[in-house]
Amino acid sequence: MKALPAFALSMIFMGTAINTHASDNQLSEQEQQQGWQLLFDGKSLSHWRNYQQQDISPKWQIQDNAITLTEGGAGDIVTRQQYNNFELKLDWKISEAGNSGIFFLADETGKYVFSHAPEIQIIDNEKHADSKLDTHRSGSLYDMVAAPETAYKPAGEWNTVTISLNNDVLQVWQNGVMTVHIVMHSSTWDKLVAASKFANWQGFAEQPQGHIGLQDHGDKVWFKNIKIRELH
């Protein structure tokens, strides 16, 4: 076997120097150039507040380098800023038999964060009873579009989600698997809404922009590497 040149050996032992991936809750140089912004830097919850409030419950804490719902009763939280066309990335981890969700286009005219906001489901597919419905499984557009089982990792493991909304084209990937691809407000969309629990929810998904939301469903859940870029 031919010996490696000295420069090659130095590249191997300096792997961190040539790694293009950022550490948790940081942006790589490439992400910064692409216009990504952090919604959580691992140190502060300043980008977040409780739904219809200006502060955030102390039950939402920073633990294990992640935004953590430590116990139920904290309330759902939303970003301080609103977005219309965007790409959102985050990592989530759910507790055993747990349930949560990621909302987008959330306004604050309804009683609840989910009154008008579509949801990407977070759940323990294996042990939570709600996951018996395929449109309620992890990575699904809740109660509308079912995610493939191959997109899911078990409770206690980190899942990576990307949500892209651009001129009503909604695309979602979980763990590299596309789980949703639909044009909002198209005839297909309208049929899915009509067949869902949202059929008679006035104002559902009609707002042109809104907040990103994270759900308190009473179960412990973790979020990290939350980043967003606006699409123009």
Side-chain angles (χ1 to χ4, degrees), residues 76-78 86 88 100-106 113-120 142 163 211-216:
D76 305 310
I77 59 175
V78 295
F86 64 87
L88 172 74
S100 185
I102 307 161
F103 299 101
F104 58 97
L105 297 180
V113 68
F114 53 79
S115 295
H116 300 148
E119 175 187 356
I120 303 305
Y142 182 74
I163 303 171
H211 304 274
I212 307 299
L214 304 178
Q215 187 178 38
D216 171 7

Side-chain angles (χ1 to χ4, degrees), residues 165-195:
L165 180 60
N166 193 11
N167 294 321
D168 275 348
V169 178
L170 173 64
Q171 296 175 289
V172 181
W173 295 263
Q174 184 165 275
N175 301 319
V177 177
M178 177 172 279
T179 62
V180 179
H181 187 175
I182 192 168
V183 179
M184 295 180 66
H185 312 119
S186 64
S187 59
T188 302
W189 171 272
D190 292 342
K191 289 176 183 176
L192 289 171
V193 173

Side-chain angles (χ1 to χ4, degrees), residues 102-189:
I102 307 161
F103 299 101
F104 58 97
L105 297 180
D107 64 16
E108 294 181 282
T109 62
K111 185 175 181 180
Y112 305 105
V113 68
F114 53 79
S115 295
H116 300 148
E119 175 187 356
I120 303 305
Q121 175 76 313
I122 290 174
I123 199 168
D124 178 356
N125 278 2
E126 298 166 357
K127 294 190 177 180
H128 197 289
D130 197 34
S131 64
K132 292 179 181 178
L133 292 174
D134 58 5
T135 57
H136 291 192
R137 291 177 183 161
S138 164
S140 298
L141 176 61
Y142 182 74
D143 212 47
M144 293 175 64
V145 178
E149 289 190 15
T150 54
Y152 171 73
K153 293 183 180 179
E157 294 187 22
W158 286 105
N159 295 260
T160 297
V161 167
T162 299
I163 303 171
S164 174
L165 180 60
N166 193 11
N167 294 321
D168 275 348
V169 178
L170 173 64
Q171 296 175 289
V172 181
W173 295 263
Q174 184 165 275
N175 301 319
V177 177
M178 177 172 279
T179 62
V180 179
H181 187 175
I182 192 168
V183 179
M184 295 180 66
H185 312 119
S186 64
S187 59
T188 302
W189 171 272

